[in-house]
Amino acid sequence: MRRTTKIACIVAAWGLLVGPWAACSDDSGSGQADAAVDARVLPDVSPMEPDPDFDEDYVPVGPESTVTTLVQTERPRYGYSQKIVDVFDRPRIPMEEVGIRYGQPGEAHLERDDLGVGDATATAPRSLLYFAHLSDVQLIDTQSPAYVASNKYTNLGDVLPAYHAHGPATPVLFDSAVQTALRFGTDRPFDFMIHTGDAIEDNQGNELGWFLTIISGGEVSADSGALDDPVPGPDNDLFDPFVAQGVPPDVPFYNVIGNHDIEVNGNFPNQMILEANEPDILAKIAPSLEDLDARLPGVGTADHAPAVLPAAIMPAFTMADTTFEPELWLGEEEIGGLESGPVVADSTREFLSGCQYIEAHFGVGGSPVGHGFRQEARTSCQGWYTAEPASGVPIRLLVLDTGPYIGGDQGTIAPPLNPDGSVDESRRGDPVHDQIAWLQAELERAEADNVAVIVASHHPSKSLAMSGILSSLKLFLDMDDPEIADLWNRNFIEPAEALSGQDLRELLTGFPNVIAHLVGHSHENRVLAVCPDGSYVTGSEYLEGSRCPDPPEGRGPENGYWEVMAPSVRDFPNQFRITEVVDLGDGSGVIYSTLVLPQGGGGGLVAHGLFMALLQHQLDGAAYQEKTGSLADRNVALRFRWPSALLAPVAATSAATRIESLTTLTEPAPGLPPMPQWQ
C-alpha cells in the first residue's frame, strides 16, 4: 500500500490546491495525529523560527571567488536540524525559503584528540601529503529502464534508491566539484585525488563513460535513448552537451569500487536483473512484486521501462533557476503513478561486469594508467590495489574492494568464495583472489618498509555485512519453485567468513602505522576516532566528552586511527573534502580535513543543481543534521601519534613548511568561469 503523499499537502498548504487539511496524514503513526485527522480538526501550524545561529548581517563572498567552508558555509535560513513540514505534512517555513542556501560565516577546524595523543609541542610543522577526497557522485541515466523512479513511494522506498529530482544535474555537479577542488591545487598541486566509490547509479556503461570523461576531459551529455531538448535551444539545460576540463595529467586520480558501480540500483547483481526480466521469470515473481508494491528494475538496454519518466515533466527542467514552483514538483501521486511503457533503446546502457568496469579505466587519459586498478585486475576482476601517491613520502595507499558481489548495498570483505558462498580453498591465501590475505600481507609489508598507511574503501566499517542484506526478501518469493530458488541462490549468497566492521577495525589497529581510513557510502559527514582496542568515538560523542578508553596492554595511542567519510557530491549536503597530512615534529601528526561545496561561477546550472538537491532533501522530510554531521564531523584537525619506527623516515622526508589547510584553504581562491563550460 502506497505511503500517503506529502507534496499534495504541501502544495495545498501554499494555497495551490483546494482540499481539506484532513487529506494529509501523519506518517509517524502518532495517535494524536490520527485522531485529529479522523475528527477533521487539526491544530494550528507551528511555524519554524529562523536558526538562531543564522547571521542576517553576514555579507557573502561573491562568485568572483572560490572558497572552502573555512571561509564561508552555505546554510538554509531555517537551519539543518528540523523538518520543514509538521506531522501533518504542512509547511513550517515560507515557500520562498525552500531549497535556498545562503552564504554564512565559515567554520574553523575543530581539533580532536580522541586518541589521547596529548598536547602538541611542534614549532616547525611540515606538510607531507595534500589531496582531495570525493565520494558518491552517482551519475544517473534518468531515462534508463533500470532507473525505476516509482519505487521511491513503495514499501521498498527506504531501501532501494529511486527517484532523484536533481538526477539530471549529477554530471554538472561532479564536473563543478572537480574544478572547484583544483582551484586549491594551483600553487601546490594535489598529490592525488581520490573518489571513494559509487561513481555511477545503475552499473551502466554510459554512466561510467560520463564519469571517466569528466576526470579525463571531453564532451559530456547526460541524455540517452531519445535525445531530448527539454529546454529548447543549445547550452541551456542539463541534457545539453558540455565540455569537462578534466584533472591535469600530473595529478593522479584514483577510483574505488562501490555498490552502485557493480550492482543495479546498488542492490541487484546485474545478471539477476537480466534473468528476472525474462517473461517467464517475471510472470512468476510478479505477485511478490505486487505484495511489495514495487517494480523490478528493467534491463538498461531494453526498449521498455517499468516506469517511464519523460524529461519534459522533470522538475530539473521545468523549474527555472532557484525558484520553487510547487505545481511543477513531482510528488508521490505523480512519481508513484508513472506507468510502464516503450522507450528508445540505447546500447550504451549496457550493464558492466566487474572486469568491464575496471577495464574502462584503462581506456581513458589521466594518471595513473588504470586510475589505481592493477593490470592483473583486468582479468581477475578484483578491485583492490596498492598505490604510492607521493614520491619520497613514506605514506602508502591501500584500496579495498568492498563490492558487494552478493546483493544488497552493504559491503563485504570475504575470502574467495564458491558459488554457494563457501570458501574456495584452492584460492584462499592467494593475494590476487583473496582480499583478506592481500590486506594482511600489504599491512605487514608496509610495517616492514616503515611507511604509514591510509586505507580507502567505499563502505565504512559500520556498513560491512557478514550476510546478504536482502535475505529477508525471500519471504516474498515462492522459493518452492526451483527456477525462482535457483535464480535467488545464484545471485544472493551468504558469504562464509566475511569480516565484520569490528573485525576490520581490530585488524587495522594491530598496525600502528595505519593513520586513516577514507570512506563514503552513507552520504553524510562523519568522522570516527577508531580507538586502539577497535572501538570508536563519533563526532557527537566527542562533543559530549567521550574519548577513547585506555589502550589495551601492548598498545598505545599510535594504534588508533581516523575513519573519515566524505559526503555525497550528488546529494545534500553536496560536499567533498580536501585533506592534508602534517608532521608536527614532536612524534605526532595531524590530519586536516576541510569541506568544500561545488561552485560554478555564480548562478547557472550548478546553482540549479544544488537548489534541486536541497529541495529534494527538504521535501522528503529528512532531518538535515543526519547528513551534515556535528561540528566534530565537518572541518576537523585530527591528532595522531607516529609509531617509533616511523619517526626517522618521516623526519628525513623533504616536505613543505607551508601548511595549505592553514593558509591556502583559509583564503578565497580565484572564481570559476560559469559552469558548465559549453562547446
Side-chain angles (χ1 to χ4, degrees), residues 12 22 25 49 127 144 221 233 311 325 338 391 398-399 428 457 470 497 536 580 584 609 648:
S25 68
E49 294 294 329
S127 177
S144 169
S221 172
E325 301 176 73
L338 293 174
S391 177
L398 303 185
V399 174
R428 187 199 287 269
S457 66
L470 293 183
E497 301 183 28
Y536 58 81
E580 187 172 20
L584 295 179

Side-chain angles (χ1 to χ4, degrees), residues 121-321:
T121 58
T123 56
R126 299 176 307 126
S127 177
L128 299 176
L129 203 61
Y130 182 54
F131 62 94
H133 174 198
L134 301 87
S135 199
D136 296 83
V137 299
Q138 287 181 232
L139 308 187
I140 313 175
D141 180 354
T142 54
Q143 298 178 299
S144 169
Y147 177 72
V148 189
S150 60
N151 278 345
K152 180 179 179 69
Y153 297 105
T154 70
N155 290 322
L156 292 180
D158 294 328
V159 178
L160 298 180
Y163 175 59
H164 302 276
H166 53 294
T170 53
V172 167
L173 290 176
F174 178 38
D175 180 48
S176 171
V178 169
Q179 297 308 314
T180 299
L182 291 171
R183 276 292 192 262
F184 300 100
T186 53
D187 292 340
R188 177 184 174 182
F190 291 123
D191 292 303
F192 66 97
M193 300 176 76
I194 188 169
H195 178 262
T196 49
D198 281 3
I200 59 180
E201 179 78 356
D202 284 315
N203 180 235
Q204 291 186 181
N206 60 341
E207 295 172 334
L208 181 57
W210 304 337
F211 177 88
L212 294 175
T213 302
I214 288 170
I215 65 173
S216 60
E219 184 179 283
V220 180
S221 172
D223 205 355
S224 70
L227 299 181
D228 306 284
D229 191 16
V231 180
D235 305 344
N236 63 2
D237 70 54
L238 294 164
F239 277 177
D240 287 337
F242 67 89
V243 177
Q245 300 305 302
V247 176
D250 58 343
V251 177
F253 190 104
Y254 299 106
N255 197 19
V256 180
I257 289 178
N259 52 297
H260 281 268
D261 298 322
I262 45 88
E263 292 182 320
V264 180
N265 291 184
N267 280 268
F268 298 103
N270 57 34
Q271 188 60 37
M272 180 266 183
I273 294 298
L274 293 170
E275 294 181 42
N277 273 282
E278 291 294 329
D280 56 333
I281 298 291
L282 193 57
K284 289 183 177 182
I285 64 177
S288 299
L289 293 172
E290 291 177 5
D291 290 342
L292 293 168
D293 193 27
R295 305 181 203 183
L296 186 73
V299 175
T301 55
D303 60 4
H304 188 275
V308 179
L309 176 57
I313 66 170
M314 293 181 186
F317 300 110
T318 60
M319 285 190 197
D321 301 323

Side-chain angles (χ1 to χ4, degrees), residues 470-540:
L470 293 183
S471 299
S472 59
L473 289 183
K474 287 194 296 185
L475 300 173
F476 294 91
L477 298 173
D478 181 8
M479 296 299 287
D480 292 329
D481 185 309
E483 201 168 20
I484 298 299
D486 176 65
L487 174 69
W488 183 273
N489 292 330
R490 281 187 293 105
N491 288 285
F492 296 95
I493 64 175
E494 297 296 315
E497 301 183 28
L499 297 185
S500 67
Q502 181 68 22
D503 292 336
L504 178 62
R505 292 190 296 270
E506 289 181 358
L507 173 61
L508 297 182
T509 55
F511 292 86
N513 54 329
V514 174
I515 61 172
H517 182 190
L518 310 176
V519 299
H521 185 62
S522 297
H523 295 209
E524 62 190 66
N525 293 317
R526 183 197 299 164
V527 177
L528 301 182
V530 178
C531 305
D533 63 354
S535 63
Y536 58 81
V537 178
T538 68
S540 296

Side-chain angles (χ1 to χ4, degrees), residues 172 236 238 320-322 600-611 674-676 678:
V172 167
N236 63 2
L238 294 164
D321 301 323
T322 56
L605 294 181
V606 173
H608 183 57
L610 294 172
F611 163 72
M675 301 283 289
W678 305 107

